[in-house]
Amino acid sequence: MKRRLLDHPWLLLMVILAIGAGTRIARCGFEGLTFDEQWHMELSTGRGSYHVGMPRDQYILQAPASTSLKGAAPVTAIWTHITYAVHPPLYFITLRIWREIFGEGDAPAQALSIFCSLIAIVLMFEAARRLNGLVPALWAALIFAVAPTQAWVDQLVRGYAMLQMVGMATVLALVMLKTSPDKSAIKSAALGVLALAMMLTHYFAIAPLLGVGVFVLIGLRSKARWQALTALVCAAIIYSIIWLPFMLRQRQDVVDADAWLKKEDAVKMAIIRTATWPWRLIADTGLEDHPQPWPYLSAAMFVLPLVFMRRRPDMLLWYVWMASALGFIGVLDAVRGTTNSRFARYVIQAGPAVFVLFAVLVSLLPKWLARPIPLALVAAALGMSWVIYIPEQGDLRPIGTFLDAHVTDSEPVIFYSGDLPEYFRGIYFLAGAHYSHQFPRPAMELSKPPGDALLRSIPHATAWVVSSPLPANGMAERFPSAQILEQYDLIRLATIAHIRLPTTMPATQP
């Protein structure tokens, strides 16, 4: 970068932030919120996981718009109502306050994550500028802004971008302790508060926090080391007092969540994914495993910083952050037979460290290579940015749109999983409650095909059934005592049928 440009680093950073905002906003609205994002919206209302705890096989006169703030519990209720979920409370509380200020829609909720990710870029830049120099900091910030994996995760209505923001604030606190030891007690206290905030944002914060502990032990000196250790221990104690009892209540939910993550080849895939994530965090979505060979070259990121550590000891903090964030998830999968390392969101905290390490390593090359290589990487990331439009799930918005277009306010809607796992009934209910404007409304969730008695208990002449996709006669087979009036197929999403309930069927009807 030419000197006259480097004389205005914050102006350059503003341009980088504008690029980062563009890559993240570009995805917003392309598809509706995923089921998990809607679930996070629901938890921010203080109702808990209503779609899971909703009574089964029981007519409900006024099933709520469970993601809406209308009629929501107070924000203080969130702390004690994170039910059927495996998360700490800070993101949900922050999301609730944000929604109260900026609105209930999808876009404001996504804007929270985008805002957090942009602040994370600023914090990473400042930490890298102080520790590694201006040029590596700017390259790392630019890669952070354009990496499609980041653009994808950083607009999700989930806590990962917020965790990244708090994580980079933690890194900056460590850098300030390292480079400016004056007022170390205040900086250590800030470190403890930020570590506590990380633990209250997501349980996988434990991964980079292991790296924080390692750096405090070997990267800080004398008084600053002991003050930082004391702050981290105090953060752990406070966390245990205020949240550990609630965390222990989620143990069964952890078992349930693990069920779909179990794979027979978990150990092999954990090794492969851990080795390839440094590349995939820069120029890949990480949604699927890819057969191309070049991601495996990024395993060098675990070796090269160690080779040059004596020459550039400023890489230590970023290296232990990356190694702990990736290594923890990989070891967890290998030990427990799970596939967390498949998902970008679980390893995204390693991203900033990968970007800075790459920028520092490139700065060690001859000048004629030090600029083209990061430029080529940025170009590769932008070239692959189209993949951020690959949907993670089917778009659930048509369910709400269909209900608003075809169903009267008084008709009950029956949600049924059909041939899919039982939790799909909750997916369909939550999609309807979030995207239809007719909630609260009469509704029912079925745990199995209904008998005649159950259908007769519904005090209406007709009803609508939202089910997983079924064959042409599938709805009639599962609702034999009802009359199918009309049936629609939302391709690869749901089968929706209008039925006449048996209480009002003609006497000649079998």
Side-chain angles (χ1 to χ4, degrees), residues 73-90:
V75 66
T76 52
I78 296 173
W79 193 279
T80 55
H81 286 76
I82 304 179
T83 54
Y84 305 103
V86 189
H87 294 287
L90 187 56

Side-chain angles (χ1 to χ4, degrees), residues 455-475:
L455 292 180
R456 290 181 182 277
S457 71
I458 300 175
H460 292 270
T462 57
W464 288 83
V465 179
V466 179
S467 168
S468 66
L470 295 173
N473 61 343
M475 191 68 69

Side-chain angles (χ1 to χ4, degrees), residues 418-502:
D419 295 331
L420 295 179
E422 288 189 11
Y423 61 80
F424 271 85
R425 61 175 179 253
I427 293 177
Y428 293 133
F429 170 82
L430 199 55
H434 184 66
Y435 284 116
S436 170
H437 298 89
Q438 297 183 353
F439 284 76
R441 64 165 306 117
M444 175 185 287
E445 278 196 21
L446 293 178
S447 63
K448 56 187 177 182
D452 182 75
L454 179 58
L455 292 180
R456 290 181 182 277
S457 71
I458 300 175
H460 292 270
T462 57
W464 288 83
V465 179
V466 179
S467 168
S468 66
L470 295 173
N473 61 343
M475 191 68 69
E477 291 176 352
R478 289 160 178 79
F479 292 78
S481 62
Q483 179 184 4
I484 309 301
L485 301 176
E486 49 189 322
Q487 182 169 312
Y488 303 86
D489 290 313
L490 304 183
I491 299 176
R492 294 191 299 273
L493 180 60
T495 295
I496 301 179
H498 193 198
I499 65 172
R500 185 180 300 279
L501 296 168

